[in-house]
Amino acid sequence: MENFYFSEFVQYILNGIAQGAIYALIALGYTMVYGILKLINFAHGEFYMVGAFLGVFFITHFPPYLAIPLAMMTAGLLAVIVERVAYRPLRGSGRIAPLITALGVSIFLLELTRVIAGPGARSFPQFFDNPTYNLFEVTGSKFAWLDGVVLRKSQLVIFISSLVVMSTLWYIVMKTKMGRAMRALSMDFDASKLMGVNINAVIAFTFFLGAALAAIAGILVGMNFNNVEPYMGQLAGLKAFTAAVLGGIGVIPGAALGGLVLGVCENLVTGYLPSSYRDAIAFGVLILVLMVRPWGILGKPERVKV
């Protein structure tokens, strides 16, 4: 009986890490844009939704190894267009106008998707024959106390893909010329402009990168739950923003940590309490953390110029 309860707990943790990895991928886009522009891009959750629908389209017509990069690039290019048309003209006009514009862009992308793809859910193409693995299924071995822990193939893909994508992001930000420019803008926007940094190119690349990460998150969720729908970006985007704030908005490792914490908390609540408490407790965790550390788990206090 004790083994059963322990394996059940491990199962919830495993599911939570998979869910948290999705939140982390979306949250990274929020935190990168905020780190440079101090803009909360509330349209970002819709790029997660658009990426999922692009995944349905491209996987239907191309093999997955080609379809997934195409979906990520298309979502990224759409984000670049949105930045150029909707956000760039408002740069330097304060924070309220871009915030309202972001909400407008969110509604526009949602309604555009509803017109093109329809208001109903779409099934996501499946390419796994056997959807589950049974870990430690050999009873009597030294791992028998984990017997019954199940890992779906789609969850394994989420783990591997998230690790690869986050490692690639770390390399881009820390080891490339564009990454150094991104870090310079996040530290001092005006000084970077005076030093000759092409701020328009860096900001456009940041939007491209964030939308591409959100798109692969949407594809992974579609693969895991077998369907996508136009409203999937609303709550997921809000949860990912919560994860970014929880970890420390503007801090890339904080977004990843916040996503994992939120995902694990949600799944533990779903496992041991009524599932209707899941969202309330998830946001309650955010409130408790911010009461102790208003700047987030990995964030640093920031002086605001008045």
Side-chain angles (χ1 to χ4, degrees):
M1 183 63 69
E2 291 181 0
N3 289 346
F4 170 76
Y5 285 122
F6 187 79
S7 62
E8 185 182 57
F9 176 77
V10 172
Q11 184 71 69
Y12 294 141
I13 294 294
L14 199 62
N15 295 342
I17 293 174
Q19 184 67 46
I22 298 298
Y23 290 152
L25 288 173
I26 308 172
L28 287 167
Y30 277 111
T31 207
M32 285 191 296
V33 170
Y34 182 84
I36 292 177
L37 289 177
K38 299 298 181 286
L39 165 67
I40 300 173
N41 181 19
F42 279 121
H44 187 63
E46 307 312 324
F47 290 105
Y48 158 80
M49 176 271 295
V50 168
F53 276 94
L54 288 172
V56 172
F57 174 79
F58 283 115
I59 291 175
T60 303
H61 295 86
F62 301 99
Y65 64 84
L66 185 60
I68 293 175
L70 283 173
M72 294 173 65
M73 289 180 62
T74 305
L77 290 174
L78 178 61
V80 171
I81 294 172
V82 167
E83 188 277 328
R84 179 65 183 86
V85 173
Y87 295 143
R88 190 178 301 180
L90 298 175
R91 199 179 298 164
S93 61
R95 297 191 182 185
I96 299 299
L99 182 64
I100 295 173
T101 301
L103 293 173
V105 170
S106 174
I107 296 171
F108 173 78
L109 292 176
L110 171 60
E111 295 302 323
L112 182 64
T113 303
R114 288 181 67 244
V115 169
I116 296 174
R122 289 285 192 93
S123 60
F124 199 90
Q126 294 299 298
F127 35 85
F128 293 132
D129 296 329
N130 181 16
T132 64
Y133 288 121
N134 191 339
L135 300 181
F136 313 113
E137 61 183 356
V138 181
T139 58
S141 71
K142 62 181 180 179
F143 296 113
W145 45 279
L146 286 177
D147 187 35
V149 176
V150 174
L151 175 66
R152 293 193 298 274
K153 286 184 178 180
S154 57
Q155 288 180 317
L156 185 61
V157 172
I158 289 174
F159 294 147
I160 296 173
S161 300
S162 301
L163 184 61
V164 170
V165 169
M166 291 182 191
S167 299
T168 303
L169 176 64
W170 177 87
Y171 179 82
I172 290 172
V173 172
M174 301 304 297
K175 300 295 183 179
T176 66
K177 183 178 180 180
M178 183 62 75
R180 288 194 295 271
M182 290 169 63
R183 286 184 283 130
L185 281 178
S186 68
M187 292 177 187
D188 196 318
F189 191 94
D190 294 329
S192 300
K193 185 163 55 174
L194 292 173
M195 294 298 293
V197 174
N198 188 339
I199 61 171
N200 289 331
V202 174
I203 292 171
F205 180 78
T206 302
F207 272 85
F208 177 90
L209 201 56
L213 295 178
I216 194 172
I219 292 169
L220 293 173
V221 166
M223 189 186 305
N224 194 34
F225 294 105
N226 300 335
N227 70 78
V228 298
E229 53 94 14
Y231 293 96
M232 64 185 287
Q234 293 186 328
L235 184 58
L238 184 59
K239 292 285 187 68
F241 173 68
T242 301
V245 175
L246 180 66
I249 189 78
V251 180
I252 290 179
L257 178 60
L260 293 175
V261 170
L262 191 62
V264 170
C265 287
E266 279 192 0
N267 278 268
L268 289 176
V269 169
T270 303
Y272 295 109
L273 295 173
S275 59
S276 58
Y277 293 168
R278 180 184 63 184
D279 294 339
I281 292 181
F283 290 113
V285 170
L286 171 67
I287 293 171
L288 289 175
V289 171
L290 294 183
M291 287 174 64
V292 179
R293 291 182 62 86
W295 46 88
I297 298 174
L298 298 183
K300 296 180 180 179
E302 182 179 344
R303 290 184 178 180
V304 180
K305 296 180 181 179
V306 180

